[in-house]
Structures are given as structure tokens and as C-alpha cells.
Amino acid sequence: MTVTTMEGAVAKRQEQAAPDAVMTRIGQVVMLHHAGDREEARDRFLGLWAEIGEDGDPLHRCTLAHYMADTQDDPADELAWDLRALSAAEELTEERLADHEGALAAHALYPSLQLNLAADYVKLGRREAARAHLRLARAAVGALGDDGYGEGIRAAIGRLERRLAAEEAEEPPSGRPGPAPRDGPGDGTQGPPRQRP
């Protein structure tokens, strides 16, 4: 092994061992949002998105878009960010996720991503699209662990399924939808639990 190759190998191992600075920054903004500063979090997420770019690391894009959706006031904007998260997740490889300590397997992201899309479509009054994404979320739950996160996602899927069924049962005979849906998938929540990929 030449000195240059050995130095490159050492640098690569150090890079892999070092925390992912972008994921750390995303996590800091998530904490800001959870502390109640939604507007500042949205501004910081937009700044990070500009740095990452549309063609940046899929893990960074997926994670940022996933959380950026939560900061949106307009349900259509929330949907757009959740669609970006799903698109980026489709580019993720197990190898890339393995580089990030604590990340789920790529297939374990799908139940949450699909659930978020279903909740977005409910907010927009698009029940057929919501049901389609709920079916995809339900089909993917086998990838989830038997832990608090997995149970939270399963419970949120069930709540949204029951909510849609209840709304359909109350639908007026004219075939027009009833009252507009509330913000979250049911039970007074603001949406499905978000996780950090």
C-alpha cells in the first residue's frame, strides 16, 4: 500500500467515524422546532436545503424534507416536502444508511413516509390518495421493530384508518364530503410521529 493510498484509507475511516455534520445540524433545527420556534426552524431548514441541493446526499435530503414538512402552514406545501422525502428515500442504499450511526434500514423508513403522505392527503380532502398511501404504509410495517417507534407508527396508521372509515360512514347521501379534516390523523395529534432516518 502506498503512502497516498494509506493516507486516503485512514482519512476515509476517520470520515466514517466522525459524526455526520449535516445530520447533526438537522437535528439541532428539529430541537428548535420542537421547542416551539416553527418559523425559525423553517428558515434554517431552507438554508440547509439550499446547501444540500436537490441532488445532494439522499439521506440528508430525506431527513431534512421529512422534518421540513412539519414546519409548513399550508397542507399543499407539507405534501410537497413529504413527497421530496419519499423521493430521496427511494435513492437510499443500505450501505449509505450503515454509514450513519443509529439510522434505520432503508425499508424501515417507508411506513412513516407513506403515513405522512396519507395524513397530508386527508388534510387536502383527497381520501382516495390517503387510502392508497395508508395501504402502502400498512404493507410496509413488517420492516418496523417491536419498539416504541414501531408501535407509534402502527398506532398512527390505525388511527388514520379509523378516522377515514368514520368520515366515510358520516358522508352525506349527496356523495359530497363532510366537514374538513382536522390537522392530524386523529385522536388530537398533530400528525404521525416523525422519526430521524
Side-chain angles (χ1 to χ4, degrees):
M1 183 181 275
T2 66
V3 173
T4 307
T5 306
M6 189 165 55
E7 287 173 351
V10 169
K12 182 163 179 70
R13 277 195 304 271
Q14 287 174 338
E15 182 181 297
Q16 289 174 344
D20 186 328
V22 173
M23 293 298 282
T24 299
R25 290 170 65 200
I26 292 169
Q28 291 168 343
V29 179
V30 169
M31 288 190 306
L32 178 69
H33 179 235
H34 288 169
D37 199 341
R38 184 179 183 146
E39 189 172 330
E40 180 66 21
R42 183 172 43 235
D43 291 344
R44 289 191 189 186
F45 278 142
L46 281 173
L48 280 169
W49 186 260
E51 288 178 35
I52 294 169
E54 292 283 335
D55 297 318
D57 182 323
L59 178 61
H60 296 159
R61 287 184 292 122
C62 179
T63 305
L64 193 147
H66 184 64
Y67 287 111
M68 181 63 156
D70 285 341
T71 68
Q72 301 306 302
D73 297 322
D74 183 330
D77 292 337
E78 185 175 358
L79 172 63
W81 283 106
D82 278 331
L83 287 169
R84 285 183 184 105
L86 180 63
S87 177
E90 290 169 349
E91 297 174 36
L92 279 172
T93 62
E94 295 296 337
E95 179 182 89
R96 172 60 183 107
L97 284 171
D99 289 343
H100 182 71
E101 185 179 330
L104 297 171
H107 57 276
L109 299 172
Y110 287 98
S112 175
L113 295 172
Q114 294 293 347
L115 174 60
N116 293 333
L117 288 166
D120 295 341
Y121 284 120
V122 167
K123 291 176 191 176
L124 293 167
R126 296 175 56 189
R127 286 191 244 163
E128 270 309 309
R131 279 191 292 276
H133 285 280
L134 268 176
R135 283 190 295 274
L136 292 169
R138 179 64 70 194
V141 296
L144 295 172
D146 290 328
D147 54 11
Y149 172 73
E151 291 306 314
I153 295 295
R154 286 181 190 93
I157 290 170
R159 285 192 304 269
L160 192 51
E161 287 170 336
R162 287 188 300 277
R163 177 179 168 187
L164 282 172
E167 286 178 3
E168 288 172 0
E170 294 175 5
E171 189 170 292
S174 67
R176 284 185 266 163
R182 295 186 324 223
D183 285 336
D187 294 358
T189 64
Q190 291 299 307
R194 298 272 178 175
Q195 59 86 32
R196 188 172 175 183

